[in-house]
C-alpha cells in the first residue's frame, strides 16, 4: 500500500504545482460533469445509507452491544457526546459556515427570489442540511463496521478492509478487493485533507494580512506552509499521545469560545429567531432536499454544494468512523447512532446557526455587502470582512486565525498518523507506524495542499473533493452489506446465542432435577412420618 499511494500523490502534487492556474478550468469541468451526470448517485447512496441506519437503530439489531456482555462504556454519556461533538468542529466549518449562506442567498433553492425574505430563510437552513443528520450518518458504515469487528468479533483492525467480513478469505479475488478498498480509502483521505488545507490556508493568509498589514501574497502562504510543516512534524514525530493528543485538547475550547462570543456580541435575538425558523424549514423540506437533483434547468448553489459535501464526507468516513468506533466500546448500536445524530449534528449545526446567521444579518441590514465581496474578491475576503465587524476586531481576528491554525495542525497530524497506519505492514498491538512513514505523509499532505493553493479557486478544491469521495461510494455500499451480514449471520454472535441457550437449558434441567429430588425427598419423608405415626398408634 505504501509505495503505490505515496507515488500516486507525489505525482499528483507535482502535476498541480507545475500546472498551477492552467489546471483550474479542467478541474472545474470535472466538477461540472460530476454534478450534472452523477448527482443522482451521490444523493441515492446517502439516502440508502440514512434509511439503512435508521432501520438498524430502530430494529432488534439496535440492541446489539459493541462489546462483550460485561463490557461497560469507557466514557460517560456526556463525555462521549462531547468528543463526538468535537469531531464535527474544524477549520473548514469556521470558514464555510460564514460563506455558504451567502452563496445560497444569491442563488436560492425551491424557486425563491434572490435576496428575498424567503431566500434569507432558506439560506440560513440549507447549510445545516449539508452538515446535518444525512451527512453524519455517512460516518456510520465505518463506525459500526469497525466497532463490531473489534469489540464483538475481536478482529484487529489496522485497515478498513479488515472490518469488512464479506471480503475475508485468501482467494486472489478477495485479497485484491481488500487492497483496492484500502487504496481507495487512502485516496479519499488525501482528497479530504488536501482540500481542507488548500481551502483554509488562503483564508488564514487573508486574515493574517488584515491583522498585520503584510501583503497577502504567495510568499505569505509559503511561510504559513513552512510553519505548519514544523508543527506537523513535531506532532507526528512525537507520536499519538504526546504530540497529537496535546493539539487535540487545545483546539475545541478556542472554537466554542469564539462561537459563544459571536452569539453574545452579535444580534442574539435575530440569530435565535432564525434558527427556530430553520428547524421548522428543515423538517418540512428534509425529504425534498435529500433527493434534490436538477432534472430540469441549471443546478442551484445548494445542489452543487451538496454534491461537493457528499464527496467530502465520504472521503472522511474511514478516519472519522475509526475514531468514533474507538471511543464507543460497551455501547449499543442504537446508542452510537443516536449519539452521532444528536451530538455530531449539533456540533456542526451550531456553527451554521450562529456564524451563518451573523453573516446574513450583516448582509440584510446593509452593514457590509458580503455578496459583492464574495463575487469580486472571494471567500477569504468575506471572512475577513465579517470578522472586522466584531468588537475588539483585532483580538477576534487573531483568535480566529489561531483557532484555524490549530485545527489544521490537529487534522493533518492525526490523518498523517492514520494514513501511515493504513500503509504499514502488520503492526503489533500498541505499535505505532515508523517515523519515516509518518513523516513522509506529512510531506505529501503539504505538497498536495500547496499544489491546490497554486491552482487556486474554490471550484478546483470542490472538484478534487468530489473526485476523491466518488470511489468510496462502492466502499460504503459494501460496508452496509457486510454490517447486515455480520448482524444477521455472524458465527461469533450465533455461537454466543447458542451458548446462552445451552446455559439456560442446563439451568432449567438442573432446576427440574432439584425440584424432582426435593419432591422425592419430601415424599419419602412424608411416608416415613406416616409409617412412624402408624407404628406409634399400634
Amino acid at each position: 500500500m505504501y509505495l503505490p499511494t505515496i507515488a500516486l500523490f507525489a505525482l499528483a502534487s507535482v502535476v498541480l504545482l507545475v500546472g498551477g492556474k492552467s489546471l483550474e478550468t479542467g478541474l472545474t469541468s470535472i466538477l461540472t460533469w460530476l454534478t450534472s451526470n452523477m448527482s443522482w448517485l451521490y444523493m441515492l447512496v446517502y439516502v440508502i445509507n440514512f434509511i439503512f441506519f435508521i432501520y438498524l437503530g430502530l430494529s432488534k439489531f439496535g440492541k446489539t452491544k459493541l462489546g462483550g456482555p460485561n463490557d461497560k462504556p469507557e466514557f460517560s454519556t456526556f463525555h462521549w457526546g462531547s468528543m463526538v461533538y468535537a469531531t464535527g468542529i474544524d477549520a473548514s466549518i469556521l470558514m464555510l459556515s460564514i460563506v455558504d449562506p451567502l452563496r445560497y442567498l444569491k442563488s436560492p433553492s425551491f424557486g425563491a427570489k434572490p435576496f428575498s425574505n424567503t431566500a434569507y430563510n432558506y439560506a440560513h437552513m440549507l447549510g445545516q442540511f449539508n452538515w446535518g443528520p444525512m451527512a453524519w450518518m455517512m460516518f456510520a458504515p465505518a463506525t459500526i463496521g469497525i466497532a463490531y469487528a473489534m469489540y464483538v468479533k475481536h478482529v484487529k483492525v489496522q485497515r478498513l478492509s479488515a472490518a469488512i467480513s464479506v471480503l475475508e478469505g485468501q482467494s486472489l479475488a478477495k485479497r485484491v478487493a481488500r487492497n483496492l478498498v484500502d487504496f481507495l480509502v487512502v485516496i479519499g483521505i488525501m482528497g479530504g485533507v488536501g482540500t481542507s488545507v488548500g481551502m483554509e490556508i488562503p483564508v488564514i493568509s487573508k486574515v493574517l494580512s488584515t491583522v498585520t498589514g503584510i501583503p497577502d501574497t504567495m510568499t505569505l502562504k509559503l511561510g504559513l506552509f513552512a510553519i505548519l510543516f514544523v508543527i506537523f512534524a513535531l506532532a507526528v514525530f512525537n507520536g499519538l499521545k504526546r504530540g497529537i493528543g496535546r493539539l487535540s485538547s487545545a483546539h475545541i475550547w478556542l472554537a466554542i469560545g469564539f462561537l459563544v462570543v459571536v452569539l453574545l456580541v452579535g444580534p442574539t435575538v435575530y440569530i435565535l429567531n432564525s434558527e427556530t425558523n430553520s428547524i421548522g424549514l428543515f423538517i418540512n423540506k428534509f425529504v425534498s432536499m435529500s433527493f434534490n437533483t436538477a432534472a430540469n434547468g441549471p443546478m442551484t448553489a445548494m445542489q452543487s454544494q451538496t454534491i461537493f459535501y457528499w464527496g467530502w464526507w465520504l472521503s472522511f468516513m474511514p478516519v472519522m468512523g475509526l475514531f468514533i468506533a474507538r471511543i464507543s466500546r460497551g455501547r449499543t448500536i442504537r446508542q452510537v447512532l443516536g449519539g452521532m445524530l444528536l451530538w455530531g449534528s449539533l456540533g456542526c449545526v451550531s456553527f451554521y446557526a450562529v456564524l451563518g446567521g451573523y453573516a446574513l444579518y450583516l448582509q440584510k441590514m446593509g452593514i457590509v455587502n458580503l455578496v459583492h465581496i464574495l463575487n469580486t474578491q472571494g471567500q477569504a475576503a468575506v471572512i475577513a470582512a465579517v470578522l472586522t465587524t466584531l468588537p475588539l476586531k483585532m483580538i477576534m481576528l487573531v483568535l480566529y486565525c489561531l483557532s484555524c491554525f490549530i485545527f489544521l495542525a490537529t487534522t493533518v497530524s492525526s490523518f498523517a498518523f492514520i494514513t501511515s497506519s493504513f500503509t504499514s505492514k502488520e503492526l503489533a498491538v500498541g505499535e505505532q507506524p515508523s517515523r519515516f512513514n509518518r513523516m513522509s505523509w506529512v510531506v505529501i499532505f503539504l505538497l498536495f495542499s500547496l499544489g491546490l493553493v497554486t491552482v487556486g479557486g474554490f471550484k478546483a478544491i470542490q472538484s478534487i473533493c468530489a473526485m476523491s469521495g466518488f470511489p468510496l461510494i462502492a466502499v460504503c455500499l459494501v460496508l452496509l452489506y457486510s454490517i447486515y451480514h455480520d448482524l444477521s449471520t455472524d458465527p461469533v454472535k450465533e455461537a454466543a446465542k447458542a451458548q446462552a441457550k445451552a446455559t439456560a437449558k442446563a439451568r432449567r434441567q438442573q432446576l427440574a432435577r432439584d425440584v424432582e429430588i426435593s419432591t422425592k425427598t419430601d415424599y419419602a419423608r412424608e411416608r416415613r412420618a406416616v409409617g412412624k405415626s402408624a407404628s406409634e398408634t399400634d
Side-chain angles (χ1 to χ4, degrees), residues 126-177:
L126 291 173
Q128 299 178 41
F129 172 78
N130 287 334
W131 289 74
M134 287 280 287
W136 268 89
M137 279 299 93
M138 188 43 66
F139 295 156
T143 299
I144 303 302
I146 292 172
Y148 192 88
M150 289 195 301
Y151 305 136
V152 179
K153 300 173 68 177
H154 304 291
V155 174
K156 179 187 172 186
V157 180
Q158 182 179 328
R159 304 180 185 93
L160 183 62
S161 61
I164 305 177
S165 62
V166 294
L167 298 182
E168 292 175 354
Q170 293 305 313
S171 67
L172 178 62
K174 290 194 173 181
R175 280 184 289 157
V176 170

Side-chain angles (χ1 to χ4, degrees), residues 208-254:
L208 192 61
S209 174
T210 304
V211 173
T212 61
I214 300 173
D216 182 17
T217 61
M218 182 56 73
T219 303
L220 179 58
K221 294 179 178 65
L222 288 173
L224 291 174
F225 270 105
I227 296 171
L228 280 175
F229 175 75
V230 174
I231 296 174
F232 297 162
L234 289 174
V236 175
F237 189 80
N238 287 325
L240 191 60
K241 291 184 178 179
R242 290 175 54 200
I244 299 171
R246 290 174 182 173
L247 283 173
S248 300
S249 61
H251 79 286
I252 300 302
W253 293 111
L254 270 174

Side-chain angles (χ1 to χ4, degrees), residues 497-513:
K497 284 183 179 179
Q499 181 62 38
K501 288 181 179 179
T503 302
K505 183 178 179 180
R507 287 177 180 172
R508 288 195 301 269
Q509 291 174 342
Q510 183 62 45
L511 179 61
R513 286 195 295 270

Side-chain angles (χ1 to χ4, degrees), residues 296-423:
N296 300 290
M299 276 197 167
T300 65
M302 189 269 178
Q303 289 167 326
S304 60
Q305 284 285 96
T306 298
I307 302 306
F308 155 61
Y309 280 122
W310 278 190
W312 200 10
W313 290 87
L314 274 164
S315 68
F316 279 104
M317 174 188 66
V319 178
M320 300 295 281
L322 179 62
F323 170 76
I324 299 174
R326 284 181 172 174
I327 64 174
S328 299
R329 183 170 192 162
R331 297 187 179 277
T332 65
I333 289 177
R334 184 174 299 156
Q335 289 171 335
V336 173
L337 295 177
M340 291 170 67
L341 284 174
L342 174 64
W343 292 97
S345 298
L346 180 65
C348 296
V349 165
S350 58
F351 279 80
Y352 270 84
V354 176
L355 300 183
Y358 183 60
L360 289 172
Y361 174 82
L362 295 175
Q363 179 70 35
K364 187 175 180 63
M365 295 297 112
I367 299 172
V368 185
N369 191 346
L370 296 174
V371 173
H372 176 72
I373 296 174
L374 179 62
N375 292 335
T376 57
Q377 301 177 51
Q379 63 182 19
V382 169
I383 293 166
V386 170
L387 296 178
T388 54
T389 64
L390 294 170
L392 304 173
K393 65 179 182 180
M394 296 305 290
I395 295 176
M396 296 302 290
L397 284 164
V398 170
L399 286 177
Y400 182 89
C401 196
L402 184 61
S403 296
C404 292
F405 217 71
I406 294 177
F407 272 128
L408 276 180
T410 305
T411 301
V412 177
S413 301
S414 301
F415 278 39
F417 195 93
I418 291 171
T419 308
S420 65
S421 177
F422 283 171
T423 56

